[in-house]
């Protein structure tokens, strides 16, 4: 069955938010917990929901911490950008007839505030965010919800994400999975991916190879 849907994680795959959001998180920790952590120590939280991140870091009052972190993130939106080559990649995929989607652990509010101002919202037909499922990545629920909402079979979908949680979620849901390495280079064995992409444009080459294999 040919692939017709290309589904992306958002943070760390389409949008470079890590420095802005982690700086905001460091400041939130310093203000509310009286301690901080390095970027490397906080990296594991990058694919987690906001609530899961704050719980993992030990904030006693999650709503207060969430409000402060969000305020500090908004102050740093000028640091947020699309990764180089993403706009061109999405345009090329749409011209080739692929349906595009998003499956992200971000909240709907974060999606509106951070992603939509970048001007690419119209590219994506189906968007699954934190509020859409009870369980979150690495659980397969978010991608299973995408399959249900989009009305497609797992083998019709290629999921592109940057973390082990993304790849575990995709594998458990039965979809094809490609690891985006343009944010960082994962350590050997860190993620269980079918394909590794060093730059966005490599996704087009991969799809051409998969289409050719499908015809054989």
């Amino acid at each position: 069955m040919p692939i017709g849907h290309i589904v992306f994680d958002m943070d760390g795959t389409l949008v470079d938010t890590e420095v802005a959001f982690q700086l905001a998180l460091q400041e939130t920790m310093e203000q509310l917990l009286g301690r901080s952590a390095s970027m490397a120590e906080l990296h594991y939280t990058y694919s987690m929901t906001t609530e899961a991140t704050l719980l993992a870091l030990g904030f006693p009052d999650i709503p207060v911490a969430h409000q402060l972190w969000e305020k500090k993130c908004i102050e740093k939106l000028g640091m947020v950008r699309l990764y180089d080559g993403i706009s061109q990649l999405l345009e090329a995929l749409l011209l080739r007839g692929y349906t595009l989607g998003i499956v992200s652990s971000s909240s709907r509010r974060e999606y509106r505030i951070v992603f939509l101002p970048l001007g690419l919202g119209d590219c994506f037909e189906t968007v699954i965010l934190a509020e859409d499922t009870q369980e979150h990545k690495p659980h397969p629920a978010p991608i299973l919800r995408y399959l249900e909402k989009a009305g497609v079979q797992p083998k019709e979908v290629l999921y592109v994400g940057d973390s082990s949680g993304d790849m575990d979620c995709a594998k458990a849901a039965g979809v094809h999975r490609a690891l985006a390495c343009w944010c960082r280079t994962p350590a050997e064995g860190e993620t269980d991916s079918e394909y590794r992409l060093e730059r966005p444009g490599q996704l087009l080459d991969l799809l051409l190879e998969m289409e050719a294999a499908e015809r054989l």
Side-chain angles (χ1 to χ4, degrees):
M1 186 175 292
I3 289 174
H5 288 240
I6 312 299
V7 183
F8 295 90
D9 174 46
M10 193 166 68
D11 297 311
T13 301
L14 295 174
V15 188
D16 185 357
T17 57
E18 184 166 18
V19 172
F21 285 10
Q22 301 297 53
L23 283 174
L25 183 56
Q26 287 176 324
E27 293 175 8
T28 302
M29 292 179 68
E30 289 167 0
Q31 186 169 331
L32 296 182
L33 300 178
R35 60 178 173 84
S36 188
S38 69
M39 289 286 191
E41 291 170 327
L42 292 174
H43 183 80
Y44 79 96
T45 69
Y46 194 43
S47 63
M48 296 166 64
T49 64
T50 297
E51 182 177 356
T53 294
L54 297 174
L55 283 170
L57 293 173
F59 286 93
D61 191 326
I62 301 303
V64 168
H66 188 179
Q67 184 177 33
L68 181 60
W69 186 17
E70 183 178 272
K71 177 178 179 291
K72 291 181 178 295
C73 286
I74 290 173
E75 292 170 355
K76 294 174 172 56
L77 285 181
M79 301 172 67
V80 173
R81 65 178 184 86
L82 292 172
Y83 286 104
D84 292 341
I86 289 297
S87 294
Q88 297 89 332
L89 170 63
L90 299 180
E91 181 180 358
L93 291 171
L94 290 171
L95 285 173
R96 294 186 183 192
Y98 288 101
T99 298
L100 306 185
I102 287 176
V103 170
S104 170
S105 296
S106 295
S107 69
R108 201 158 295 280
R109 176 172 168 78
E110 290 164 350
Y111 176 76
R112 291 197 303 267
I113 292 173
V114 178
F115 188 73
L116 289 184
L118 298 173
L120 297 178
D122 290 343
C123 294
F124 302 95
E125 287 195 15
T126 302
V127 177
I128 303 299
L129 300 168
E131 295 89 343
D132 294 314
T133 58
Q134 294 276 334
E135 297 86 10
H136 305 288
K137 297 183 288 186
H139 193 281
I143 291 181
L144 293 176
R145 177 68 181 122
Y146 178 92
L147 298 175
E148 177 187 15
K149 191 171 181 180
V152 293
Q153 297 299 310
K155 294 306 179 183
E156 297 176 72
V157 175
L158 172 65
Y159 186 62
V160 183
D162 67 292
S163 72
S164 58
D166 293 328
M167 297 298 99
D168 291 345
C169 173
K171 183 178 182 180
V175 304
H176 297 282
R177 58 200 187 279
L179 181 67
C181 299
W182 48 82
C183 172
R184 67 185 184 97
T185 301
E188 191 67 31
E190 180 181 347
T191 58
D192 183 10
S193 61
E194 287 180 276
Y195 311 101
R196 291 171 68 101
L197 306 172
E198 303 298 330
R199 53 182 176 78
Q202 281 187 302
L203 178 56
L204 297 173
D205 298 331
L206 171 62
L207 290 168
L208 285 174
E209 292 174 8
M210 296 175 79
E211 289 171 7
E214 183 72 26
R215 290 193 294 268
L216 294 179

